[in-house]
Amino acid sequence: MSVRTTVRFHALIPAAGTGSRIGGETPKQYLPLAGKTMLCHAIAVLARAPDIATVFVVLAQGDALFAGCGAAELGDKVVPLYCGGVERRDSVYNGLVAMAGAVDADDWVLVHDAARPALPDAALARLIAEAGDDEVGGLLALPVADTLKRANDVGGTRRVASTAAREGLWQAQTPQMFRYGVLLAALADSGAAGVTDEAGAIERIGLAPRLVMGSSGNLKITYPDDMGVAERLLAGGGRP
Ligand code: CTP
Ligand code: MG
């Protein structure tokens, strides 16, 4: 049994994808944005948070770019793990397994995508304060603001089949923060279940993650067009 009395917070950044939707030779997380790689921006936000003890970064096996990407200058909290898997879920799970010796079951783990390089410090602090005070943990998310349409294919043309109610719908962001032991067990069990985020795995074991107000600045870079928006955001100091 651990004799530690204060619970610690660790970050886990899955960064083992290829960025197929953005295209190009360089994996998405190593594309330059406002003078740094996307991955360095994502690591920096977590590494400078006083509450975060360690920032584990899951890289593809054989990744040759991390060593030269500037992450070494972000401090000794940063620990690379060369254990990426086929899907994002596999990378997160492999990372959790690889960090086992360095964390306690009750420690909090904040899983954050390298593809969200502009996470505002204030949103991170909000998650740590609110989810850290919760039995289950939680995630950053935003209430859906747009009117939602269900699509239908009519003779090769997309048309609106109906308008879906948006009341009570939230868009999940990262970080998503849960206790190490619970998250590891939940993900171990979620392999073929169509679970796409950590909260989904936690929901599957019957727990209800807390929703913490995210930020429109915490944008996810998926397509080439997203790069310009992120560049302007990061060059301008981000959004609160
Ligand atoms: N990721 C990962 N291991 C994978 C796939 C994704 O660690 N096998 C990471 C990505 O590096 C990214 C995050 O998970 O930081 C979110 O994934 P996504 O935005 O989908 O990135 P990619 O999978 O790289 O992009 P794409 O789906 O367009 O190929
Ligand atoms: Mg992907």
Side-chain angles (χ1 to χ4, degrees), residues 159-228:
R159 294 190 180 279
V160 174
S162 60
T163 298
R166 66 163 179 248
E167 276 66 47
L169 289 184
W170 290 59
Q171 285 180 284
Q173 301 187 330
T174 67
Q176 304 201 352
M177 179 177 130
F178 300 101
R179 302 262 186 194
Y180 176 77
V182 177
L183 183 58
L184 182 67
L187 279 174
D189 203 33
S190 70
V195 164
T196 54
D197 64 354
E198 290 64 52
I202 297 291
E203 291 156 46
R204 259 192 95 240
I205 59 169
L207 300 174
R210 179 156 167 171
L211 290 165
V212 178
M213 189 59 74
S215 164
S216 60
N218 186 21
L219 84 165
K220 163 92 187 306
I221 298 180
T222 305
Y223 297 103
D225 279 357
D226 302 329
M227 290 292 287

Side-chain angles (χ1 to χ4, degrees), residues 43-235:
I43 295 174
V45 179
L46 292 154
R48 70 172 171 252
D51 289 317
I52 306 250
T54 330
V55 181
F56 297 98
V57 185
V58 180
L59 304 165
Q61 298 164 47
D63 179 304
L65 297 174
F66 183 77
C69 84
E73 289 118 66
L74 297 173
D76 51 14
K77 283 187 186 180
V78 182
V79 178
L81 303 169
Y82 292 83
C83 60
V86 177
E87 305 287 344
R88 178 187 179 280
R89 177 235 160 247
D90 305 313
S91 295
V92 172
Y93 181 72
N94 293 352
L96 290 172
V97 170
M99 64 200 258
V103 301
D104 285 350
D106 282 349
D107 285 354
W108 291 104
V109 181
L110 290 86
V111 181
H112 181 56
D113 286 339
R116 292 188 189 269
L119 167 65
D121 299 288
L124 174 60
R126 206 155 50 231
L127 178 70
I128 290 174
E130 293 183 28
D133 201 30
D134 193 275
E135 284 274 288
V136 176
L139 64 150
L140 290 182
L142 280 182
V144 170
D146 296 336
T147 298
L148 298 176
K149 302 295 182 190
R150 190 171 302 284
N152 208 355
D153 193 315
V154 183
T157 304
R158 268 196 297 272
R159 294 190 180 279
V160 174
S162 60
T163 298
R166 66 163 179 248
E167 276 66 47
L169 289 184
W170 290 59
Q171 285 180 284
Q173 301 187 330
T174 67
Q176 304 201 352
M177 179 177 130
F178 300 101
R179 302 262 186 194
Y180 176 77
V182 177
L183 183 58
L184 182 67
L187 279 174
D189 203 33
S190 70
V195 164
T196 54
D197 64 354
E198 290 64 52
I202 297 291
E203 291 156 46
R204 259 192 95 240
I205 59 169
L207 300 174
R210 179 156 167 171
L211 290 165
V212 178
M213 189 59 74
S215 164
S216 60
N218 186 21
L219 84 165
K220 163 92 187 306
I221 298 180
T222 305
Y223 297 103
D225 279 357
D226 302 329
M227 290 292 287
V229 183
E231 174 89 36
R232 285 192 291 281
L233 199 57
L234 287 163

Side-chain angles (χ1 to χ4, degrees), residues 17-21 28 87-88 220:
T18 57
S20 57
R21 285 171 289 181
K28 178 168 74 177
E87 305 287 344
R88 178 187 179 280
K220 163 92 187 306

